[in-house]
Amino acid sequence: MHVLTELGAALAAGSVEVVDLTTPLTPETPILQLPAPFANTVGLSMTPVSAFDDAGPGWAWNDLRLGEHAGTHLDAPSHWITGRHGKSVDRIEPARLVGPAAVVDFTAEAAADADALLEPEHLERWEAEHGRFPQNCWVLLRTGWSARGEDPARFLNADEHGLHAPGPSVAAAQWLAAHPHVSGFGVETVGIDAGVAGGFNPPFPAHHHLLGADKYGLTSLRGLDRLPVLGAQLVVAPLPVVGGTGSPARVLALVERAGA
């Protein structure tokens, strides 16, 4: 309990900051759009039940219609065919949802080329500089893409050839999936794969390899520029939807501030 008491005191004093990495969820929040003939999920819609009126004079509440994979969300293994017999979101161990954040800065590459691909050498260079990825960590790919978040068209960045957004190559997806210390992979973009990854072999390799290896995905993160390269603790809080293939999530980082 001594460690938790110290953490509580640090949070109260502000020497440990809680950084919210979640995109606010509204009906306008960009949602991944698949081409025909594939079906698409829905975003958020809210229907009032009562709002301090005759239907409920002292309370307000709403009914929600919401896709599992809307906004900032977690991908569970059962989301993908390679993990179809794996865990649904309610079966993910809570300990896997809390762990160190390892931030890989890919902003320069993404600024130079919207289709830039993360390769194993980028990850190996990170480990050469900072040490091996820590046990049970979340690798977070910082691309600066969240700056586009208020403009759905610019965020999705689609043209007649499909979406254009940075993400891992096939080799990088395999590398992350094989790393014994990696619990999950998080991105600022609408999905954990690169925009052009539908044309890779296999298609959508981050989904294919990571979810098939009992690793988890996080999308539409914001505020990664507020995190250190290493040292923050990530808290991922999806809804434990029984049988769910994923869930919108609140994602928080605990960050110790310098000089605290």
Side-chain angles (χ1 to χ4, degrees), residues 8-254:
L11 289 166
S15 57
V16 171
E17 180 184 1
V18 181
V19 178
D20 195 343
L21 305 180
T22 315
T23 297
L25 188 56
T26 75
E28 288 73 44
T29 299
I31 305 298
L32 181 66
Q33 296 296 308
L34 298 176
F38 304 117
N40 281 294
T41 190
V42 298
L44 172 69
S45 60
M46 296 173 46
T47 303
V49 177
S50 68
F52 313 113
D53 50 22
D54 290 344
W59 55 90
W61 52 355
N62 303 292
D63 286 334
L64 302 181
R65 183 171 185 248
L66 177 63
E68 295 173 318
H69 298 265
T72 302
H73 66 271
L74 180 140
D75 290 340
S78 63
H79 173 47
W80 211 251
I81 191 166
T82 52
R84 64 188 300 174
H85 301 301
K87 295 169 189 157
S88 53
V89 68
D90 58 299
R91 294 171 53 215
I92 296 173
E93 301 92 330
R96 293 286 301 278
L97 299 174
V98 179
V103 181
V104 176
D105 190 350
F106 203 60
T107 53
E109 292 86 348
D113 180 4
D115 291 322
L117 296 180
L118 180 74
E119 297 287 357
E121 51 260 38
H122 298 113
L123 300 165
E124 291 163 357
R125 190 182 310 142
W126 190 100
E127 288 199 319
E129 184 175 352
H130 304 288
R132 202 169 195 214
F133 284 123
Q135 189 74 37
N136 198 41
C137 77
W138 288 82
V139 176
L140 306 180
L141 186 63
R142 180 185 164 203
T143 58
W145 209 258
S146 62
R148 301 167 175 251
E150 300 305 323
D151 183 340
R154 188 164 173 259
F155 182 77
L156 294 175
N157 201 32
D159 61 17
E160 65 274 15
H161 303 294
L163 304 182
H164 298 277
S169 69
V170 174
Q174 290 175 311
W175 193 98
L176 289 164
H179 200 298
H181 291 180
V182 173
S183 196
F185 176 63
V187 298
E188 296 176 80
T189 50
V190 74
I192 60 173
D193 270 294
V196 296
F200 292 175
N201 184 20
F204 307 106
H207 286 81
H208 180 98
H209 290 295
L210 287 161
L211 301 185
D214 192 38
K215 316 284 187 179
Y216 315 127
L218 279 178
T219 76
S220 297
L221 297 172
R222 292 189 178 185
L224 296 186
D225 58 321
R226 300 175 62 191
L227 304 188
V229 171
L230 197 59
Q233 290 288 318
L234 202 70
V235 180
V236 182
L239 297 171
V241 180
V242 175
T245 70
S247 168
R250 193 78 179 259
V251 182
L252 306 174
L254 305 181

